[in-house]
Amino acid sequence: WKAGIEWLPVNKLRFRTMLQRSVRAPNMAEAFQEQFLESFIFVGNDPAEDPCSAVNDPVAAGNLEKCVITGLPADQVGTWNADLGFPTDFVRGGNPGLKPEVAESFTIGAVLDLDLFEGFQVSVDYFDLYVEDTIGDLDATIACFDTANTTGLFCDALRRDPTTYNVVEVDEFKTNRGVAETNGVDTQVSMQFVLPNSADLSVNLIWTHLLENVFQETSFGTKFDCAGYFGWPCTEFKGDYGTFPENRVTTNFSYGMGDLTVGLGWRWISGSINAAPFGSPFFGIPDPDLVITEIGSKNYIDLSIGYRFSDNIDARLSIANLTDTGAPLMADAGPQYNTDPALYDVFGRAYTLSLSLRY
């Protein structure tokens, strides 16, 4: 269901709000996909990637009982260190016991038409999106070693080799995880001008300010606010999308005069902080010695030029990322390819030339 109200107290000002609730049942794959194995490694570059390694001091971190549940003998806890690159099977698949996700969303805002000049409009909206019992792949390591997990639930999903004690199998089926919540403010400014030479100029600015972006691996687990952060553990919650800048601005300029049109776009993404130092204490892992602690803001400029030669022939040249701005280097904190290709441009400057002929 959903319910909303719009109120126009004066001709140039409109208030609006909306509240809605929705559910999503698990799809066929999430509920009934056959179990399968994916071979990978549990520990790659550092024994500390296993919370039970001695370098993490698991006894002081309160992980003694959890490590024993995973198959590490009690007399090895605090002395044993994981081997690098030991092969591990990750068992994944559907779960017929899944419950539907339940979501609630709330928005409230205002739209203002100003008389400064024709076509000047400003809108500001607050949004809050909340989902519980989110459906996704369980991250057994996060679920087990979360300090909020006081009973060792899900720790038996990790199984160790009886001789080397390295993790050799991990069950990570689909499950109802915890909550996911996002809230922030959207602002949009639109302007239109008629210039003295009969040309038209329009400007449209969209600014999204992220206040919170909260994820929870299990219903009893720690809630992590990833707004303004990148990398682990935020990457684990969102898969291939693990960068959450607090501010993103997109501005488009359009100029038209006769048969000529010119467009200029500017995209700005604010900087982010490596999430590992704020996430490590929740899993009994020491603060990592990071080379990349933060990434700066990025600016992307796109240019397009179009011309109508006749009623039948149009041409357009587009240049994406005009300044050839590179993607930020995140090393292994990036979701893919040492960066976040879902958010940043990894190709650099690119050209597109198109010709349209109508007859």
Side-chain angles (χ1 to χ4, degrees):
W1 55 262
K2 66 177 179 180
I5 298 174
E6 287 194 359
W7 179 40
L8 193 69
V10 294
N11 189 39
K12 296 293 184 178
L13 177 62
R14 183 172 78 254
F15 294 98
R16 56 192 180 187
T17 184
M18 179 76 71
L19 177 66
Q20 75 175 27
R21 182 181 186 273
S22 58
V23 297
R24 186 184 77 86
N27 59 40
M28 292 292 289
E30 291 168 337
F32 302 112
Q33 183 184 30
E34 186 177 0
Q35 294 182 9
F36 62 96
L37 294 179
E38 286 188 341
S39 295
F40 199 56
I41 54 176
F42 190 76
V43 174
N45 303 318
D46 189 341
E49 295 174 20
D50 188 328
C52 294
S53 288
V55 294
N56 292 323
D57 196 357
V59 176
N63 287 331
L64 172 60
E65 294 183 359
K66 294 179 179 180
C67 292
V68 171
I69 294 175
T70 67
L72 184 64
D75 60 359
Q76 293 291 319
V77 180
T79 60
W80 171 87
N81 276 308
D83 296 324
L84 303 183
F86 201 87
T88 306
D89 288 332
F90 289 82
V91 186
R92 298 191 167 102
N95 178 3
L98 291 172
K99 299 183 297 183
E101 296 178 337
V102 179
E104 292 181 356
S105 62
F106 171 72
T107 61
I108 185 169
V111 181
L112 179 62
D113 293 309
L114 299 179
D115 292 326
L116 298 178
F117 43 82
E118 185 178 356
F120 187 58
Q121 186 179 84
V122 178
S123 65
V124 180
D125 292 278
Y126 169 80
F127 61 87
D128 190 326
L129 313 176
Y130 180 88
V131 187
E132 61 182 11
D133 293 326
T134 58
I135 297 173
D137 291 316
L138 172 73
D139 189 310
T141 307
I142 288 180
C144 171
F145 293 100
D146 188 337
T147 54
N149 182 10
T150 58
T151 59
L153 290 174
F154 296 109
C155 290
D156 57 356
L158 286 77
R159 290 179 288 278
R160 299 181 181 272
D161 181 85
T163 303
T164 66
Y165 307 129
N166 293 293
V167 174
V168 293
E169 191 171 81
V170 182
D171 290 340
E172 293 189 333
F173 308 120
K174 300 291 184 184
T175 187
N176 287 107
R177 301 164 73 179
V179 303
E181 183 176 10
T182 300
N183 57 69
V185 179
D186 277 335
T187 302
Q188 183 168 356
V189 180
S190 300
M191 296 173 280
Q192 295 179 354
F193 308 90
V194 178
L195 303 180
N197 58 357
S198 298
D200 296 319
L201 175 65
S202 63
V203 181
N204 186 48
L205 180 147
I206 300 175
W207 170 29
T208 297
H209 176 61
L210 190 62
L211 296 172
E212 289 183 312
N213 203 354
V214 176
F215 303 105
Q216 186 184 32
E217 183 62 33
T218 60
S219 60
F220 55 81
T222 301
K223 293 182 179 180
F224 291 90
D225 182 4
C226 291
Y229 290 93
F230 72 92
W232 180 90
C234 299
T235 310
E236 304 305 316
F237 294 120
K238 294 296 289 179
D240 292 339
Y241 304 92
T243 308
F244 307 96
E246 290 185 333
N247 293 284
R248 297 175 65 177
V249 177
T250 300
T251 305
N252 292 304
F253 303 87
S254 179
Y255 174 84
M257 184 180 67
D259 295 323
L260 176 68
T261 58
V262 179
L264 186 67
W266 169 54
R267 293 173 289 144
W268 177 71
I269 304 170
S270 64
S272 302
I273 302 172
N274 196 316
F278 104 90
S280 297
F282 295 98
F283 305 101
I285 301 175
D287 287 343
D289 184 13
L290 299 174
V291 175
I292 301 174
T293 59
E294 60 182 321
I295 56 176
S297 61
K298 287 291 181 179
N299 292 275
Y300 293 102
I301 297 176
D302 305 315
L303 175 67
S304 65
I305 302 174
Y307 191 80
R308 169 166 289 188
F309 292 96
S310 68
D311 291 340
N312 305 99
I313 301 175
D314 294 315
R316 177 171 292 275
L317 172 65
S318 299
I319 306 175
N321 195 355
L322 182 66
T323 55
D324 199 21
T325 300
L329 180 63
M330 301 178 182
D332 59 358
Q336 294 179 1
Y337 317 121
N338 298 318
T339 188
D340 189 345
L343 181 64
Y344 299 102
D345 186 350
V346 297
F347 296 106
R349 187 184 299 115
Y351 304 86
T352 303
L353 178 64
S354 63
L355 179 68
S356 300
L357 174 64
R358 294 180 296 275
Y359 58 91

